[in-house]
Amino acid sequence: MSSKAAALVSQAKQWAGNYGSYSNGEEGAAYTAPLRVRAAWESQDADAVADMFTENGSLLVGDEQLTSREQIREFLRKAFREEQRGTRIPEEPVEVRLLAPKVALAITHGGRVAEGAGTWTPEDEYRAMWVLVKQDGDWRVSSRQTSPVKG
């Protein structure tokens, strides 16, 4: 196996662990949307993050409520150069539930990790709620909102 192929296999194994107990079935398929957002965020790719949202998708970032794919894209382009530069958003699924054949809800626990940090600070820990919809055979994010976790 080439070194590139070995690296891809290693990366796939690492990401497979991010599904928690939701690695199979339609819940696992739906949960790929938050995982793809996470991967795009960690690559600091505003276009890829925005493209995971529906056209009228909603993203709450701090006190900023973004209500369209284009608002998300423009906000993150600037944020990835400034206050969100180098950040990561590791999250683990708490619950993933199908609400209808093409609608799912995911609750995750995680935090925003600053550039160069190993984990999030207590102030940056949160729970996130993801509303996921299946469009044209692919799962997308309709809405993501976070709430701080207070210890």
Side-chain angles (χ1 to χ4, degrees):
M1 180 181 317
S2 73
S3 62
K4 183 175 181 179
L8 289 172
V9 168
S10 175
Q11 187 178 32
K13 287 179 181 177
Q14 175 190 358
W15 276 95
N18 293 325
Y19 282 91
S21 62
Y22 301 98
S23 60
N24 296 313
E26 201 61 24
E27 289 89 355
Y31 194 64
T32 62
L35 286 177
R36 289 184 287 167
V37 168
R38 176 181 170 183
W41 187 290
E42 292 180 6
S43 295
Q44 301 279 280
D45 187 337
D47 291 325
V49 172
D51 289 344
M52 283 305 306
F53 282 78
T54 59
E55 188 64 38
N56 63 345
S58 174
L59 174 63
L60 181 65
V61 180
D63 292 331
E64 188 81 25
Q65 184 69 58
L66 310 170
T67 58
S68 74
R69 183 184 295 151
E70 289 312 310
Q71 282 184 352
I72 294 166
R73 184 182 322 278
E74 292 308 312
F75 178 89
L76 289 178
R77 281 181 178 160
K78 181 179 181 219
F80 287 155
R81 289 189 309 269
E82 297 173 6
E83 71 274 3
Q84 299 293 335
R85 182 183 176 129
T87 60
R88 298 180 295 113
I89 54 169
E91 299 177 11
E92 294 183 7
V94 174
E95 181 178 0
V96 180
R97 180 184 337 155
L98 287 179
L99 302 177
K102 294 183 178 186
V103 180
L105 175 71
I107 306 294
T108 58
H109 177 252
R112 185 183 74 87
V113 179
E115 183 173 31
T119 190
W120 57 78
T121 63
E123 306 82 56
D124 289 324
E125 184 177 10
Y126 59 77
R127 287 276 174 115
M129 182 179 76
W130 302 78
V131 178
L132 311 167
V133 296
K134 194 172 192 178
Q135 293 182 332
D136 301 321
D138 194 17
W139 285 95
R140 299 272 177 217
V141 179
S142 177
S143 180
R144 178 182 187 263
Q145 177 172 338
T146 61
S147 297
V149 172
K150 301 290 184 192

